[in-house]
């Protein structure tokens, strides 16, 4: 039913900007994370992930499980995300040492699987009797989902089947518990839905599809489930309120859902599974629900950086238009999940808006999550940072001024690693006769439909994208909504092809050369007046990049700057700045003479120049002020 | 040592704006509150306050305490604040029914006092053994303080001595416990300090002074006290963290304090006691600490409305310049406490800035706390309200769009009632030869120094203040800092007296007529660029009144308005609006054409007029948008 699908992992060899990031993940992030999992990383909190699997293996064999289980209830998922990242990365950069590490870890995981297919070290080590008694909090289906995704990656990227077999056996176990034995519950943290859909596509195993269908179709129907579950058990993890149905995305059947609610990562993982299922089964009712949820997020609850989940309270969606720049949560993982959702929406319908948001989330929030050296990570991505308030005020304590090292809850770094390593799957799609270019990324792609392309671009800093094509069919090239002006040439001739839903469909044959030139003019962006926090403010963007104003470029003080939005913005290439970037300069005024807290004296405004750098590079030059949105002088 | 002191309660007979409020408190607030205390108010949460005293009386007599204690651990203080308000109000408006109610309640309280002088129904009814074992949370000294204030009010305003004797006996008990028996603790919620100082002044009882001195001088010296106390007891009220020294204002000896920290009401009550003590003893080191704390609050942590304690987390001070208009806490009680602090600073040094802030807090936050009909109350006073976000978003849940009725924790309404009923004490002060006019309030005042004045003014809406004087000496009239231009005439002749520290000192004799004319021009006010949330914004004020923009006056939408601060503001008298007010009209633009969440299209700006009403009147016309600060168009 899908009108196009993601390409296979091995179809894309990256280059340029994305290639550099993939190399960074391969050379720095994955080895560091491996050391963390094995408790060998200096300065990192204790992980115990690998040891948990070793100990669970002992428990399975009836041996003493050594020093037991340690960590969060979802600790296993750190291993799964690392495997997924490592598998994708190995297909980009073969490395026998890393491959051995991956194989060994898979062996440990396989050995930790119970005879009935169950796999979760927390329960296997601590208490088998408690399995499936706390779906609200205990993340069993979440961990199973991540491990299934890891299994798919190993098989798809490396042809390794061992973990896939483990997880198919696990699926059979889940099928027995939830379908045959009618357990009646659904996961507190969605993830299993999209994971089972991945396995279904890769293997054709019907049980995977049926499980995903079951979890999606049952959710929100039995609104008393979590409460009964909570009453029936005598133990808890955190003591989550089972009655908070909005937070758990379980207040209404998903087909009737109108608003994106609750924990943002959970929401977009769930919506991804829904979009997966609708594209696979042609379930238009479900796709309509997905469209409403998409709109709820992107038209009313999304930061300009593609960040979602604006409140720290439950890492959750708040209310429409409540998008504070300074107290934002905007978790890196939530934007990664938003990319998943967008890519699956593209499998239902090829519409530029889906890829636009995917790009917006990637180049801004997702990349901002990682320090330029790949060594430290933001979970929370504020759009404003004021040292002295950020990280200090009780309402800003989660908004740090600098990326911290590895957390005990290590969700974001491996999530970014797996996303970056498999970037091609989001950038390109295909169906039987068309190659879809959703995102612009230098490198070569071999589609299953026989088309191959070579893409040459300096995107996101250069706005000319050249495709050289082998094979025959159509190339569908996205025209980003932010580029109102563009030039498309086919074999050197200007084309007048009218885009359909944001994509130019171009017939290609062997040797075709397509050149897309996008608008490189920096632009001011304004928010709806429905966003109370942003009236009277403007942001600055160029291409897909949202810019920000940092103290480092502006004499230490960005709070006193006001932008002249009637002026033109200039762009300067800065090869030595922030790993190579383009800095923008904008006519502005600096407010002076407001020394008292309040004054009736009109402050003076001195003309000056404001300098902006891409948002994803912020916080790489020490602690300083940062703002994405500045007030407008005129 | 005091260079001037508050006038006696009975010295002032109010008229005009203040008189109307005092009548409202007398006719509506106090009777309603009495019904609440007696559990006879419809729709109010159960109070049980009076019954607690009845039951404690039974316990004291060795009888069964009936249905026991109900309510907050500080429930007794509701009775104390009501008595204080009723006593002050009775001196303004004699009323035999109310007087009988007050006398009866005092009788019940006296009967609830233990033989050793202890008075607290929570412990007397529930568990005498737990007395003084949880100063951190249990509010025993807080309740004792409020009851002492009530006792002072009964004696000073009505000449009734019974409660004063009860509380002097209570003081003797406290003296034994804390001074003689060296208990070693200090109150989790300060209040006893200022209360003992009040009793000391009224009675000369040295034990009162010594207790206040003890609590002020010991605080912050033994930083391990609360932790030890917590470890030594097996019970808790809320489970407050005993290690949060900043929150408890106990991290440093108070003489060394630099920053106002912690729970805002507790802080200003404590600082009031400090200023009381320094003015009484001439302790300049303590006054210097008070000055630092005053500056910390008013120069870096105060809203333009005189609201303080910007964060809901602990109802507390946050960090310097963290003054969000939309998520503000700014509790009504905290601004009342700030007025206390200001009035005591005036007893150390007559400086206009103290009275300026007292006025700012009163006419804006304190009055905004009460609905115009006196029937509903705000505890939290945001400077921005957006229905759909305010009261709904997790970060705005405390910021309600409408004043609610009576709370279980009923601190603010009776606090406002006692403040308004005793307004004269804040408006006027005296020493042996000078009558001080700190605030402008119509009515007559008889100073102990022999001077009497009649003040005629329509303040805060009219800016001519006429004083007719009897007696001989000096009149010290404050020239508010907001009125850069003013005219002062003495007996019909323009005076060129230069104000000293914000006060014009005028020699007067019998029949002197002084007229002060202040600037009635509405003005734009700008915040320091150090306040991140307010750069590019302006507020509008006239006289002491901060204005706000409500949907009701602006077509339902104030979020799309930008002010033209280069234009003049016009003022229109509106006798039928909001109990009689002056509305302001300001040239502005309305932003249109920003229908998408973000857009690169420059929004259109259509010239329009923005209308503002005084902040204290907001939320009296149903739920609608409200903003104090608007962005500036030019």
């Amino acid at each position: 039913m899908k009108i196009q699908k993601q390409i296979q992992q091995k179809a894309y060899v990256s280059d340029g900007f994305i290639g550099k990031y993939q190399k960074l993940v391969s050379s720095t992030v994955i080895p560091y994370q491996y050391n963390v999992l094995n408790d060998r990383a200096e300065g990192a909190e204790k992980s115990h992930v690998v040891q948990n699997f070793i100990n669970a293996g002992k428990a399975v064999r009836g041996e003493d499980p050594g020093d037991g289980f340690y960590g969060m209830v979802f600790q296993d998922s750190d291993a799964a995300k690392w495997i997924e990242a490592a598998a994708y990365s190995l297909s980009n950069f073969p490395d026998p040492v890393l491959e051995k590490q991956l194989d060994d870890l898979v062996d440990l995981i396989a050995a930790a699987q119970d005879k009935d297919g169950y796999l979760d070290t927390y329960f296997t080590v601590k208490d088998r009797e408690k399995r499936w008694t706390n779906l609200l909090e205990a993340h069993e289906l979440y961990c199973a989902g991540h491990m299934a995704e890891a299994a798919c990656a190993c098989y798809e990227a490396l042809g390794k089947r061992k973990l896939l077999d483990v997880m198919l056996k696990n699926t059979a176990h889940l099928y027995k518990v939830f379908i045959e034995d009618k357990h009646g519950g659904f996961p507190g943290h969605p993830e299993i839905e999209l994971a089972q859909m991945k396995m279904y596509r890769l293997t054709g195993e019907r049980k995977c599809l049926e499980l995903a269908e079951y979890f999606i179709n049952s959710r929100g129907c039995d609104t008393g489930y979590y409460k009964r579950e909570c009453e029936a058990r005598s133990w808890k993890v955190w003591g989550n309120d089972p009655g908070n149905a909005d937070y758990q995305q379980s207040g209404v059947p998903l087909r009737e859902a109108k608003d994106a609610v609750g924990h943002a990562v959970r929401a977009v993982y769930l919506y991804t599974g829904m979009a997966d299922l609708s594209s696979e089964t042609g379930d238009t009712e479900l796709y309509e629900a997905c469209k409403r949820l998409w709109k709820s997020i992107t038209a009313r609850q999304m930061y300009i950086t593609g960040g979602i989940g604006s409140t720290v309270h439950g890492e959750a969606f708040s209310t429409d238009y409540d998008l504070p720049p300074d107290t934002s949560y905007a978790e890196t993982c939530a934007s990664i999940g938003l990319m998943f959702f967008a890519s699956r929406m593209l499998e239902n319908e090829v519409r530029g808006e889906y890829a636009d948001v995917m790009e917006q989330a990637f180049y801004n929030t997702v990349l901002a999550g990682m320090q330029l050296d790949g060594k430290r990570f933001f979970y929370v991505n504020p759009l404003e940072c004021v040292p002295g308030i950020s990280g200090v005020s009780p309402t800003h304590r989660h908004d740090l001024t600098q990326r911290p090292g590895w957390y005990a809850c290590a969700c974001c770094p491996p999530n970014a690693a797996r996303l970056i390593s498999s970037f091609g799957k989001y950038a390109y799609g295909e169906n039987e006769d068309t190659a879809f270019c959703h995102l612009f990324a230098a490198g070569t792609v071999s589609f299953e439909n026989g088309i191959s392309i070579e893409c040459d671009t300096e995107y996101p800093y250069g706005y000319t994208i050249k495709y050289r094509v082998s094979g025959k069919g159509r190339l569908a090239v996205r025209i980003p909504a932010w580029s109102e002006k563009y030039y498309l040439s086919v074999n050197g001739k200007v084309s007048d092809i009218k885009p359909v839903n944001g994509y130019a469909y171009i017939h290609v044959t062997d040797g075709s050369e397509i050149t897309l030139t996008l608008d490189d003019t920096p632009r001011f962006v304004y928010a709806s007046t429905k966003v109370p926090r942003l009236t009277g403010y403007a942001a600055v963007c160029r291409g897909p990049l949202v810019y920000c104003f940092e103290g480092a470029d502006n004499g230490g003080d960005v709070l006193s700057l006001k932008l002249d939005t009637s002026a033109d913005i200039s762009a300067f290439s800065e090869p030595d700045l922030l790993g190579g970037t383009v800095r923008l300069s904008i006519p502005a005024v600096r407010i002076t003479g407001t020394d008292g807290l309040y004054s009736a004296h009109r402050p003076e405004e001195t003309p000056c120049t404001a300098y902006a750098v891409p948002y994803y590079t912020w916080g790489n030059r020490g602690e300083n002020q940062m703002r994405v949105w500045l007030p407008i002088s005129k």
Side-chain angles (χ1 to χ4, degrees), chain A residues 342-363:
Chain A
S343 80
R344 305 316 198 278
M345 290 302 273
L346 282 168
E347 294 186 332
N348 282 277
E349 201 174 353
V350 177
R351 298 189 66 88
E353 61 177 302
Y354 300 140
D356 285 348
V357 167
M358 192 159 69
E359 176 174 271
Q360 191 175 2
F362 178 76
Y363 282 107

Side-chain angles (χ1 to χ4, degrees), chain A residues 260 268 271 293-302 308 317:
Chain A
V268 284
Y271 306 156
L293 294 166
W294 175 264
K295 193 117 188 141
S296 167
I297 295 172
T298 61
R300 302 191 297 274
Q301 299 196 76
M302 186 178 73
I308 58 171
F317 287 107

Side-chain angles (χ1 to χ4, degrees), chain A residues 23-38 40-41 82 89 95 98 101:
Chain A
K23 279 193 195 88
L24 184 67
V25 166
S26 164
S27 66
T28 301
V29 182
I30 290 173
Y32 180 77
Q33 292 183 3
Y34 185 75
N35 285 336
V36 171
L37 300 183
N38 285 279
R40 293 197 295 250
W82 179 84
S89 190
D95 171 353
L98 176 61
Q101 289 169 340

Side-chain angles (χ1 to χ4, degrees), chain A residues 405-417:
Chain A
W406 200 264
Y407 285 38
C409 169
C411 61
C412 297
N415 221 350

